[in-house]
Amino acid sequence: MAILKIARMGHPVLAAPARPVEDPTAPGIRRLVSDMLETMQDAGGTGLAAPQVHVPLRLAIFFVSGPRAAREDGEGGRGEDKNVPLTVLCNPTIEPLDREMAMGWEACLSLPGLAGEVPRYTSIRYRGVTPTGEELVREANGYHARVVQHEFDHLDGILFPQRMRDMKKLVFTSEMKHLAAAGEALAEIED
Ligand code: NI
């Protein structure tokens, strides 16, 4: 186990599409996942993609805590998405189940100190291969869907500011109190 260095915006590894994982069950992948988990926990993130630790492979890890999802989704949140256990996916794909998008605040370990308001599909289906070689298929809504879209974007070299519609909504987290005064949501994803 090792804590890996996290690439920050501007490093080319974050801007290029990552390569497919040839064998998700390979010992090298298991070691990488173990190190990514330790790195994510150390950094306090809810997700981490391999390019963020300078490994250009299509692999991401994430989880959603029940209380966090409940806070982000509010009363309208859907019960099945409240708790998502730690998930490791290789070569994932994603399809929107609805054209509806919602705005929400996100942050990223590769853009430390910043947060932005990002549109994301509210309802998706995603699939990928786990490190035991099984295919996983899930449907996700709300905050869960947002986390997945953010993580999988990393595999295509996309960072959250590139999804933003209004760059005035790219702010330092330390200044978000001013948005709170304006009635803005303070929700954010740290990954
Ligand atoms: Ni990120």
Short mmCIF file of all heavy atoms in Angstrom, two decimals, residues 52 108-109 150 154 191, ligand 1:
data_model
loop_
_atom_site.label_atom_id
_atom_site.label_comp_id
_atom_site.label_asym_id
_atom_site.label_seq_id
_atom_site.Cartn_x
_atom_site.Cartn_y
_atom_site.Cartn_z
N GLN A 52 -5.69 10.37 -12.37
CA GLN A 52 -5.39 11.33 -11.29
C GLN A 52 -4.16 10.92 -10.47
O GLN A 52 -3.62 11.73 -9.73
CB GLN A 52 -6.59 11.47 -10.34
CG GLN A 52 -7.76 12.20 -10.97
CD GLN A 52 -8.86 12.43 -9.95
OE1 GLN A 52 -9.67 11.54 -9.72
NE2 GLN A 52 -8.87 13.59 -9.32
N CYS A 108 -12.71 18.68 -6.97
CA CYS A 108 -11.90 17.61 -7.53
C CYS A 108 -10.52 17.66 -6.90
O CYS A 108 -9.95 18.75 -6.74
CB CYS A 108 -11.79 17.81 -9.05
SG CYS A 108 -10.82 16.55 -9.89
N LEU A 109 -9.99 16.50 -6.53
CA LEU A 109 -8.67 16.46 -5.91
C LEU A 109 -7.59 16.98 -6.86
O LEU A 109 -6.51 17.36 -6.41
CB LEU A 109 -8.34 15.03 -5.46
CG LEU A 109 -9.25 14.47 -4.37
CD1 LEU A 109 -8.92 13.01 -4.09
CD2 LEU A 109 -9.14 15.30 -3.08
N HIS A 150 -18.63 12.41 -13.06
CA HIS A 150 -17.39 13.12 -12.78
C HIS A 150 -16.18 12.19 -12.92
O HIS A 150 -15.20 12.52 -13.60
CB HIS A 150 -17.45 13.72 -11.37
CG HIS A 150 -16.21 14.45 -10.96
ND1 HIS A 150 -16.20 15.80 -10.67
CD2 HIS A 150 -14.94 14.02 -10.76
CE1 HIS A 150 -14.97 16.16 -10.33
NE2 HIS A 150 -14.19 15.09 -10.37
N HIS A 154 -12.93 11.75 -16.11
CA HIS A 154 -11.46 11.74 -15.98
C HIS A 154 -10.82 10.76 -16.97
O HIS A 154 -9.69 10.97 -17.42
CB HIS A 154 -11.06 11.31 -14.56
CG HIS A 154 -11.12 12.43 -13.55
ND1 HIS A 154 -10.33 13.56 -13.64
CD2 HIS A 154 -11.84 12.58 -12.42
CE1 HIS A 154 -10.58 14.36 -12.60
NE2 HIS A 154 -11.50 13.78 -11.85
N ASP A 191 -13.57 14.93 -5.34
CA ASP A 191 -12.86 13.84 -6.01
C ASP A 191 -12.09 14.39 -7.19
O ASP A 191 -11.70 13.66 -8.03
CB ASP A 191 -13.84 12.75 -6.45
CG ASP A 191 -14.95 13.30 -7.30
OD1 ASP A 191 -14.88 14.47 -7.67
OD2 ASP A 191 -15.89 12.54 -7.59
NI NI B 1 -12.10 14.68 -10.04
#
